[in-house]
Amino acid sequence: MSTPPPRRQPAGAAVLREDVTEAIRAAVFEELAAVGFARMSIEGIARRAGVGKTAVYRRWKSKLSLVLDLLTAFAAQGLPAPGTGSLYGDVRALLEVAAHALRHPVASQVIPDLLVEAARHPEIADAIRAALLDGQQGVAALVVRDAVARGELPEGADPDRALDLIVGPLYWRLVVVRTPLPDGYLDDLAASAVAALRA
């Protein structure tokens, strides 16, 4: 009596290659920057990633779910809490990280486009809040808490106000007005934000 041949391991949808998933994620950012969310298509993403459309659909059911997944993953990374030992140092470090992120060519195209789409898609609005606001609010709360503990800020200092004062002007300049930062701008902005927080 002959032995039956061994069963083959499942392939296709049962095994999702991580390198393909990462190529698709990278292609989404490039496609968003190139054509925006409204004109972005699964076909364009697949072409840019060098895969078939089915590879994308095995992982995400639509372009909206794909973008929401990316924003959620971005939010999970979070911002590192500076912990420099001074309020000015923490604010300056936060500004450096934010400026680097906002100057990235993909981010400078993708974020404004997604903010426009958020008005039409509540799911995108919620994901943007988680990706861009919640993480930064957490870091701002740590910066304020540490500054209060060191006696640099009074009890009851408002982390939301701190975040507005620290990141708001930088976002305005890099994303809305789109002008380059002059030498010393981050130093001056950090000093101004610290002075306003202490006022």
Side-chain angles (χ1 to χ4, degrees):
M1 190 171 183
S2 62
T3 340
R7 297 184 66 180
R8 292 181 61 192
Q9 291 296 316
V15 179
L16 298 178
R17 289 176 38 198
E18 190 57 33
D19 60 327
V20 172
T21 303
E22 288 309 310
I24 294 169
R25 286 183 171 136
V28 172
F29 280 117
E30 293 170 10
E31 192 75 358
L32 275 171
V35 302
F37 180 83
R39 292 177 51 211
M40 185 178 81
S41 66
I42 296 295
E43 292 83 357
I45 293 166
R47 187 169 46 252
R48 199 177 283 272
V51 299
K53 284 193 302 181
T54 54
V56 180
Y57 281 119
R58 281 181 189 147
R59 291 159 174 82
W60 298 278
K61 63 182 180 180
S62 67
K63 70 177 186 178
L64 178 58
S65 63
L66 208 170
V67 169
L68 293 177
D69 177 61
L70 286 181
L71 287 172
T72 302
F74 180 76
Q77 294 174 8
L79 285 175
T84 65
S86 75
L87 177 58
Y88 174 84
D90 286 354
V91 169
R92 180 63 178 77
L94 277 179
L95 285 169
E96 190 68 43
V97 171
H100 178 73
L102 292 173
R103 278 189 288 219
H104 190 283
V106 173
S108 67
Q109 295 284 74
V110 169
I111 292 172
D113 182 61
L114 288 180
L115 289 173
V116 169
E117 292 300 326
R120 292 188 278 269
H121 298 278
E123 304 96 328
I124 291 181
D126 292 342
I128 287 175
R129 174 175 291 280
L132 299 181
L133 183 59
D134 293 351
Q136 290 183 359
Q137 280 179 323
V139 172
L142 287 174
V143 168
V144 168
R145 183 200 67 194
D146 291 348
V148 168
R150 289 189 300 262
E152 293 183 276
L153 288 178
E155 289 286 342
D158 183 4
D160 287 341
R161 180 171 177 259
L163 187 58
D164 291 345
L165 289 168
I166 296 166
V167 182
L170 188 63
Y171 183 86
W172 172 261
R173 184 159 197 135
L174 290 177
V175 179
V176 180
V177 181
R178 293 178 179 261
T179 56
L181 302 182
D183 291 342
Y185 178 81
L186 295 183
D187 297 329
D188 292 344
L189 184 55
S192 298
V194 168
L197 286 169
R198 288 177 171 158

